[in-house]
Amino acid sequence: MIIAGGLYPFIKGSWRKDATHIVFSFLKLAGVAVSMMAFFEFGPALLFEKDMLPFLFNKLVIPVGLIVPIGAIFLAFLISYGLLELIGVLFQPIMRPLFKTPGKSAIDAVASFVGSYSIGLLITNRVYKSGQYSAKEAAIIATGFSTVSATFMVIVAKTLGLMDIWNLFFWSTLAITFIVTAITVRIFPLSRMDDQAVAPEHEVLEHHRLKQAVLEGLEANEKALPLLVNIRRNFVEGLLMAMSILPSIMSVGLIGLLVAKYTPLFDWMGYLFYPFTALAQLPDPLLVAKASATGLAEMFLPALLMAEGAIAAKFVTGCVAISSILFFSASIPCILSTEIPLTIRQMLIIWYQRVALTILLSAPVAFYAESLIG
């Protein structure tokens, strides 16, 4: 799959589309070479430290490579036979005022949270291509709901020693993630994106909401393609997406991890967040700021760096790791592999906004958590 993904842009001719496609097409080729090194275990020793190639290949590439095509098979049941339309009508009063997205985006949020951000992005891309999401709505969902799964949150909490307050950590992180999303949709760049969908959600209901939801679900079910046709189409799309993501994870992820470990770049970037950690009066504010910055390379890095810190500092760092959503080792290559019109510049701005807001919002809860454990 990785080899096919590296060659596909050159076979299809899409590598020449624009500067971003050119850069990422050659990064995919680099990802093929790096994957060969990981699989056959040859190359410089520094690349084979446990937090480098073994981490990328075993903890990211293999799970994503399996979950995207296999998960895509089951997308037929989520988005093709009326459930999406049913949920859309029922959740419209919540999703539209809070997040400026259609009610059906609740499906994306749940799929990301209980499954994987890659599955959430696959749903978002499918619905966007069908014209039911505008560019703005698809971008909001991709950068606001496609967080890591609940199971990965357990790993973060264990690494930070927060399992004693798991309930508080889980629910507050979930709430903070979505509060941050509600804020970022109202500021640049998300607020300025094109908001015209080809087939927008109906705003005016002809019947009582529950009846309307059931009727729209049944109508979508009647128009649906046969099950095996849908499964085959979803599987092919999932396979193509996995092919596109995997070599990018290996190359972009490795570059990010090497930069984080062997250069002071993320230390310098930490100063961008220092005003927020200082304002929140966190212990070791500069260390928390620097740890938060490393999340851009890989979402798990902040938790690794703060594993020995004070409880409040660890709590905030854990929230940042989950709420920031965007990182170069996986989620950014995933988004770039879809047709959602987000640039790297836009994603960097959104990432900065999310980290800064998460630090400020999670600090009061972090001090409360510290008082519980203390």
Side-chain angles (χ1 to χ4, degrees), residues 104-253:
K104 63 188 70 170
S105 60
I107 287 272
D108 302 61
V110 171
S112 296
F113 211 70
V114 300
S116 162
Y117 57 83
S118 50
I119 294 297
L121 284 170
L122 196 58
I123 295 172
T124 307
N125 194 45
R126 275 291 307 276
V127 180
Y128 172 65
K129 287 199 298 181
S130 71
Q132 296 176 66
Y133 288 158
S134 67
K136 179 180 179 178
E137 289 165 350
I140 289 168
I141 296 160
T143 61
F145 299 146
S146 302
T147 186
V148 294
S149 64
T151 48
F152 207 87
M153 286 179 69
V154 174
I155 298 170
V156 171
K158 280 185 176 178
T159 304
L160 292 168
L162 299 175
M163 286 306 289
D164 289 344
I165 50 166
W166 164 250
N167 262 330
L168 177 64
F169 179 73
F170 176 84
W171 292 110
S172 59
T173 303
L174 178 63
I176 287 164
T177 299
F178 292 133
I179 292 168
V180 168
T181 299
I183 296 170
T184 55
V185 303
R186 289 165 169 81
I187 53 182
F188 177 84
L190 288 174
S191 63
R192 301 282 182 85
M193 292 187 72
D194 176 36
D195 201 19
Q196 295 300 313
V198 176
E201 194 172 58
H202 298 300
E203 298 287 347
V204 180
L205 303 183
E206 297 174 9
H207 308 282
H208 183 271
R209 187 167 297 279
L210 182 59
K211 183 179 179 181
Q212 182 80 23
V214 172
L215 289 173
E216 288 197 18
L218 291 171
E219 185 183 349
N221 184 54
E222 286 175 9
K223 293 178 181 176
L225 294 170
L227 180 61
L228 290 178
V229 174
N230 263 327
I231 286 175
R232 187 180 69 226
R233 188 173 73 171
N234 285 344
F235 178 70
V236 170
E237 283 193 17
L239 203 60
L240 288 173
M241 187 175 180
M243 281 165 46
S244 181
I245 294 166
L246 300 184
S248 298
I249 288 176
M250 288 303 292
S251 57
V252 179

Side-chain angles (χ1 to χ4, degrees), residues 33-99:
V34 170
S35 300
M36 292 284 194
M37 292 165 65
F39 187 77
F40 293 107
E41 297 184 354
F42 70 90
L46 68 89
L47 296 183
F48 287 89
E49 294 178 22
K50 64 179 182 179
D51 57 348
M52 290 291 167
L53 284 185
F55 168 75
L56 285 172
F57 197 76
N58 297 321
K59 302 296 183 184
L60 291 177
V61 164
I62 290 174
V64 170
L66 287 170
I67 200 169
V68 172
I70 293 171
I73 293 170
F74 297 94
L75 286 190
F77 301 99
L78 272 180
I79 64 178
S80 300
Y81 294 97
L83 180 64
L84 194 70
E85 287 72 18
L86 177 88
I87 295 295
V89 176
L90 293 177
F91 277 79
Q92 193 181 65
I94 299 169
M95 304 304 287
R96 182 63 69 185
L98 282 179
F99 306 114

